[in-house]
Amino acid sequence: MPIRIPGRRRVAVLISGAGSNMATLIATGQAPDAAFEVVLVISNTPDAGGLAIADAAGVPALTIDHRPYGRDRAAHEQAIDAMLNEHGVEVVALAGYMRLLTPWLVGRWAGRMLNIHPSLLPLYPGLDTHARALAAGDAEAGCTVHIVTEGVDEGPPLGQARVPVREDDTPETLADRVRIAEHALYPAVLSNFCRTLH
Ligand code: GRF
């Protein structure tokens, strides 16, 4: 059994890409009075930049590549679930994890799996959130941390952060501004969540 630090929830972060949110969660979890620690990072692709960041921070980081599983999503998720259990994980944080989850894995982690989404949900679930906010002429954009349920980006929100939209914004400049907000929001919400989890 893995060693547990009393009072700290054991968190796994699932990624597919750069892992900038993952990095803020790792750093927050390394503070002396943290409510959680990141004990495992899993990517579904070996190309995820976040793997090297996690490794450099001393966090076990591994790839469970979805490609060899083909259409067998259940088998891929069973491999992920087995690894989460092996590491004594209590809470799962999705952070730019680009695979849709089946009801099976969502059900296994019901109430203990969080996601960050780059919009003010319920606005703009799914992809291309910043382009859609700009096309709609929104004055504000932002991000949401929510509990993961079966519907994509539909679970109960735990926190949101807002940023202004500027007249000359492109999807990229808006994404950069929102991402800064994400990096403050996710660690704060996850800390609160872990402090109140029974
Ligand atoms: C973030 O914008 C997050 O909201 C979305 O995917 C992006 C991941 O970025 N779900 P990073 O890999 O954390 O840098």
Side-chain angles (χ1 to χ4, degrees), residues 17-22 95-96 116-118 179 182:
S20 67
N21 279 286
M22 173 214 74
I116 186 156
H117 184 74
R179 199 169 298 108
E182 291 184 36

Side-chain angles (χ1 to χ4, degrees), residues 13-24 49-50 53 94-98 115-119 126 129-130 142-144 153 175 178-179 182-183 186:
V13 185
L14 269 53
I15 63 168
S16 301
S20 67
N21 279 286
M22 173 214 74
T24 64
I53 298 172
L94 307 182
Y97 186 69
M98 299 305 286
N115 181 43
I116 186 156
H117 184 74
S119 79
T129 55
H130 306 301
C143 49
T144 305
D153 302 325
V178 170
R179 199 169 298 108
E182 291 184 36
H183 294 168
Y186 210 174

Side-chain angles (χ1 to χ4, degrees), residues 74-167:
H76 181 238
E77 290 187 351
Q78 279 162 18
I80 291 173
D81 191 56
M83 201 53 69
L84 296 173
N85 292 323
E86 194 172 303
H87 285 257
V89 169
E90 300 173 279
V91 175
V92 177
L94 307 182
Y97 186 69
M98 299 305 286
R99 301 282 296 169
L100 294 177
L101 299 178
T102 75
W104 181 78
L105 193 65
V106 172
R108 296 278 291 180
W109 292 89
R112 292 183 295 144
M113 182 183 275
L114 279 56
N115 181 43
I116 186 156
H117 184 74
S119 79
L120 295 170
L121 290 173
L123 290 176
Y124 316 128
L127 299 175
D128 300 324
T129 55
H130 306 301
R132 289 155 72 195
L134 292 177
D138 293 349
E140 273 188 331
C143 49
T144 305
V145 176
H146 65 94
I147 295 279
V148 174
T149 55
E150 285 185 24
V152 176
D153 302 325
E154 275 183 10
L158 298 176
Q160 286 189 319
R162 293 168 183 273
V163 302
V165 175
R166 300 206 179 123
E167 260 180 28

